[in-house]
Amino acid sequence: MPISNPADCTPITNGQITSVIIENLTAEECFELGKCEYLHKNFSTAYTFFLSASLKGHKNTPVFNTYFAACKASLDSLQSTKKESFDYLKTQNNITDQIVIDKLDQRNQDFKNNHNYLLLNHLVNYLFLTISVAGLFIAFRLLYKYRKKATHTIYLAIFMLGVSTMVLEHAMYWLQDFDYNPKVYFFKIHYYLWAPSLYLYIRKKLTIEPKTAINEILRHYGLFFIFCILLLMAVNTETTIPTSNFKQLITLILQSQFIKSIHCTFYLILLIRLYWEYKNILSPSNNKWLMLAITFLALLMLILYSRTLYSSDYDFNYISIYFTAIALSLFICLYSFMLYLKPDIITKTENLTETGMDTESDVKYKNSGLTEAMTSTLKSQLVNLIETKKVYLDNGITLEKLAKELNTDRYSISQVINQEFGKNFYEFINDYRVQEAVNIIENNKGKIKLVTDLIYESGFNNKVSFYKAFKKRKKTTPTQYIKEKYKDKE
């Protein structure tokens, strides 16, 4: 019976089809069973029955040919789809495998890079640690070896202790080998010792004020003592709501970059003023060390102001701390090398006289080529130059300039001044300057009311130098001298 609907027949499973069954079927029965399988979309089984029907001599009717051709096409299409699916799956598997391989390679590379970074970072931090320990050693060595014969090095030792402690604390924080994570770094307290100590070291090294009075120590280290008291109050206060706010306020003050910036700026100005006042007469080595101190404080000030402006930027703050550690480490290394290679540059003072200027009387003239006649001639030329051209009114006058005016060298001029006048260069010049000031006072008949009117007109470049030179020669201050002179006029 012809089949046109799948419901009209029951398909045969692959396990029920045998060569014996097919052999016992007629060509027509094979064709009908093939149609049944085809309608149920069992194209492989249907093709077997259609092929058997054809072999058994079924007529090539249009219906048979249509079913046979359709079954074969469906079977080919199915096989092609399976092949494409297989190829697609194979391709996808290859892509997936490559992605996995790439990810594993990237993970290995990231691990390798991260490992190299951590190793380098570890080495750098241990380098910081080593430098900081060396800085502490240098500081204690300065205190032990030079505290008596070179007392100014005490201030340098305090400074070295401070900067070394900062580098040490950060190295311990950055290294995972140390479980160091303080709420407030120790260096944040003694930071206020750095700039005053550096300033006092330079000042005492130049013997501008050889002795340090108690009031001077309090004046320069007062802020440090105040912060120490605040810290003690915060640590020893019980934890209640009000005191908690108090502690937060103290912590905020101690960690304030703005306060540190102002403090650093103040001492930077003092050092620049010191340099400007004595730059023309400092020895080359002291000139360089003073410039180094100014450069260091200027760099520190820029970092502090930058951290104040970008306090909310974590990356900038982290980088700036690392940069500070590098700068301090270089500073420690420089001082350490110089202390071992040329300790005199660090420990030896430069003996400055009344105006803070270099003493020429220490110059030795054993090998001088000046004869008595030459000395006498040079002396006459010097006095004539001083009295006619009044070169002492130039507040930037130096031995080099004076020697150039006389077509000679600075050592010959220094020898003449020392031997013929018993003074060093600046004492000799200041004799004329003070006398010029006296002449101005006496010739102006009461018109000079302020000392500042005399300072630059008489050749001095600052009030301190003028007062010291004037008082040494006239045994009184310029102000008192003016009052006495005008009193006599009345």
Side-chain angles (χ1 to χ4, degrees), residues 230 232-240 242-244 246-247 250:
L230 288 176
L232 288 173
M233 291 172 64
V235 171
N236 293 290
T237 307
E238 294 182 0
T239 306
T240 61
T243 56
S244 177
F246 177 68
K247 286 183 178 181
I250 292 179

Side-chain angles (χ1 to χ4, degrees), residues 25-292:
L25 295 174
T26 64
E28 189 64 29
E29 289 173 339
C30 287
F31 176 57
E32 292 299 326
L33 289 172
K35 287 194 294 182
C36 180
E37 297 295 331
Y38 177 81
L39 293 174
H40 284 89
K41 297 184 179 181
N42 296 326
F43 301 118
S44 180
T45 305
Y47 184 76
T48 301
F49 282 121
F50 287 143
L51 182 60
S52 299
S54 178
L55 293 174
K56 288 178 179 288
H58 193 284
K59 295 180 181 180
N60 291 328
T61 62
V63 176
F64 176 80
N65 291 335
T66 300
Y67 271 107
F68 196 13
C71 182
K72 185 178 180 182
S74 298
L75 186 60
D76 291 341
S77 176
L78 182 62
Q79 289 177 346
S80 176
T81 302
K82 287 183 178 180
K83 185 176 183 303
E84 289 177 359
S85 298
F86 175 78
D87 293 340
Y88 174 77
L89 290 174
K90 184 177 179 182
T91 302
Q92 291 300 313
N93 287 336
N94 290 338
I95 293 173
T96 303
D97 291 343
Q98 188 61 43
I99 291 174
V100 171
I101 292 171
D102 292 342
K103 285 185 176 180
L104 288 174
D105 290 342
Q106 184 63 40
R107 185 179 298 175
N108 291 333
Q109 186 64 35
D110 290 343
F111 175 79
K112 184 178 179 180
N113 293 337
N114 188 54
H115 176 72
N116 293 338
Y117 169 76
L118 290 175
L119 180 61
L120 179 61
N121 189 57
H122 208 62
L123 291 174
V124 170
N125 291 332
Y126 264 109
L127 180 61
F128 284 145
L129 185 67
T130 304
I131 292 174
S132 64
V133 173
L136 293 174
F137 173 77
I138 292 297
F140 286 115
R141 186 172 185 270
L142 284 170
L143 287 173
Y144 176 76
K145 187 174 181 180
Y146 299 100
R147 68 185 186 279
K148 293 182 179 180
K149 59 182 179 180
T151 55
H152 63 287
T153 57
I154 294 175
Y155 298 104
L156 178 61
I158 294 173
F159 172 77
M160 291 288 285
L161 282 172
V163 296
S164 299
T165 303
M166 178 189 173
V167 179
L168 176 65
E169 284 196 290
H170 278 94
M172 292 175 63
Y173 174 75
W174 290 327
L175 285 167
Q176 297 179 356
D177 300 336
F178 299 93
D179 188 15
Y180 186 75
N181 191 20
K183 292 182 179 179
V184 179
Y185 282 101
F186 177 60
F187 84 86
K188 290 185 181 293
I189 306 300
H190 65 67
Y191 163 84
Y192 295 96
L193 292 174
W194 298 5
S197 298
L198 189 59
Y199 172 73
L200 289 174
Y201 163 69
I202 295 293
R203 193 171 180 82
K204 303 306 172 185
K205 188 179 189 306
L206 303 180
T207 61
I208 296 170
E209 291 180 6
K211 295 182 179 180
T212 305
I214 297 297
N215 62 342
E216 185 180 18
I217 293 176
L218 292 175
R219 186 168 67 250
H220 290 289
Y221 292 138
L223 195 59
F224 166 73
F225 294 139
I226 292 172
F227 278 12
C228 285
I229 293 171
L230 288 176
L231 182 63
L232 288 173
M233 291 172 64
V235 171
N236 293 290
T237 307
E238 294 182 0
T239 306
T240 61
I241 294 177
T243 56
S244 177
N245 294 333
F246 177 68
K247 286 183 178 181
Q248 291 179 2
L249 178 61
I250 292 179
T251 303
L252 183 64
I253 293 173
L254 294 177
Q255 296 181 346
S256 174
Q257 302 295 334
F258 180 74
I259 296 176
K260 292 177 182 178
S261 302
I262 297 299
H263 185 263
C264 184
T265 303
F266 174 74
Y267 281 97
L268 177 61
I269 293 172
L270 289 181
L271 279 178
I272 292 175
R273 180 183 174 186
L274 204 65
Y275 175 75
W276 187 260
E277 191 171 336
Y278 305 115
K279 64 178 181 178
N280 293 326
I281 41 76
L282 284 173
S283 64
S285 60
N286 280 328
N287 200 311
K288 290 178 181 177
W289 282 115
L290 185 53
M291 281 301 300
L292 178 63

Side-chain angles (χ1 to χ4, degrees), residues 370-382:
L370 287 178
T371 63
E372 291 186 7
M374 293 170 63
T375 301
S376 179
T377 301
L378 196 54
K379 177 184 176 181
S380 299
Q381 293 175 347
L382 175 62

